[in-house]
Amino acid sequence: NSTVMIEIESTDHYFSNDNDKIEFVRYRQDDVEGAKPDITIKNFNVSQMNRFELTVNLQNKTNPKDVMYFLKLLGCKYEFSVTKKCQIYTCKGYTFVYYEFKVDGKLFKIIEVELEKVDFNILTQVEDMLVELPGFDPTAVITKSKYQMIKEYLNDSTY
């Protein structure tokens, strides 16, 4: 099982929309070397196994003002921005992403496992590996998107 690891830092700009089926629109800016710019639209669906997510890749060095204007034309309302650092490990059957980002001085550290297909055996194997990490708690599963976590933190509704 070969693993490829890359490190990326980028700024994500989050937007809301009047469409109640859309959870958020995210513009990932290529403000740091290696970041790949895109626009992602994610629907509201509590099941991570059955969600809709569309990513539109942008050309490198696309003018951020043009992207922001385009999203405004689509009725998107700017919510917040966050700069994050990621370590992305691509393995056979899954991708493992370690995120670090700060919001108003609070440091968030999140691990995300993206399966190529629904396979709870792989998920269990990854959790078994992660148990070895200091501070990792397999019972502390996050059921919210990063967008929801940050928005709740900024609104101080659960923190």
Side-chain angles (χ1 to χ4, degrees), residues 72-88:
K72 185 177 179 181
L73 287 175
L74 294 178
C76 298
K77 178 183 158 219
Y78 174 80
E79 294 285 337
F80 55 83
S81 298
V82 64
T83 300
K84 63 181 181 356
K85 294 179 183 179
C86 302
Q87 292 179 356
I88 304 169

Side-chain angles (χ1 to χ4, degrees), residues 11-158:
T11 301
D12 290 350
H13 306 279
Y14 287 90
F15 298 80
S16 59
N17 188 288
D18 287 336
N19 184 331
D20 62 355
K21 296 193 182 337
I22 295 176
E23 179 185 359
F24 66 82
V25 176
R26 183 198 68 226
Y27 162 47
R28 177 164 292 147
Q29 189 175 342
D30 62 336
D31 53 345
V32 177
E33 187 67 33
K36 294 184 177 154
D38 66 38
I39 295 172
T40 297
I41 301 166
K42 183 174 172 274
N43 74 331
F44 272 111
N45 193 330
V46 292
S47 170
Q48 293 299 316
M49 303 300 177
N50 192 25
R51 71 178 182 186
F52 171 81
E53 188 171 306
L54 173 67
T55 300
V56 178
N57 295 317
L58 302 173
Q59 291 183 348
N60 286 341
K61 304 301 176 200
T62 299
N63 186 334
K65 289 181 182 178
D66 291 343
V67 177
M68 301 285 198
Y69 181 69
F70 172 72
L71 292 173
K72 185 177 179 181
L73 287 175
L74 294 178
C76 298
K77 178 183 158 219
Y78 174 80
E79 294 285 337
F80 55 83
S81 298
V82 64
T83 300
K84 63 181 181 356
K85 294 179 183 179
C86 302
Q87 292 179 356
I88 304 169
Y89 300 85
T90 304
C91 308
K92 184 178 179 182
Y94 67 95
T95 301
F96 170 89
V97 185
Y98 172 73
Y99 293 96
E100 264 190 23
F101 56 91
K102 282 187 179 181
V103 177
D104 284 350
K106 178 178 174 45
L107 180 64
F108 288 81
K109 296 180 180 184
I110 298 172
I111 295 172
E112 182 177 274
V113 178
E114 299 174 358
L115 301 175
E116 287 178 14
K117 63 180 181 184
V118 178
D119 186 339
F120 290 103
N121 293 322
I122 291 176
L123 201 51
T124 301
Q125 290 171 357
V126 172
E127 286 178 349
D128 289 346
M129 288 187 317
L130 293 174
V131 165
E132 303 297 320
L133 291 174
F136 177 75
D137 179 0
T139 64
V141 175
I142 298 170
T143 59
K144 302 172 186 175
S145 66
K146 287 183 288 301
Y147 171 80
Q148 288 172 312
M149 289 176 52
I150 295 167
K151 192 168 181 173
E152 287 177 3
Y153 179 75
L154 291 172
N155 293 334
D156 198 32
S157 62
T158 61

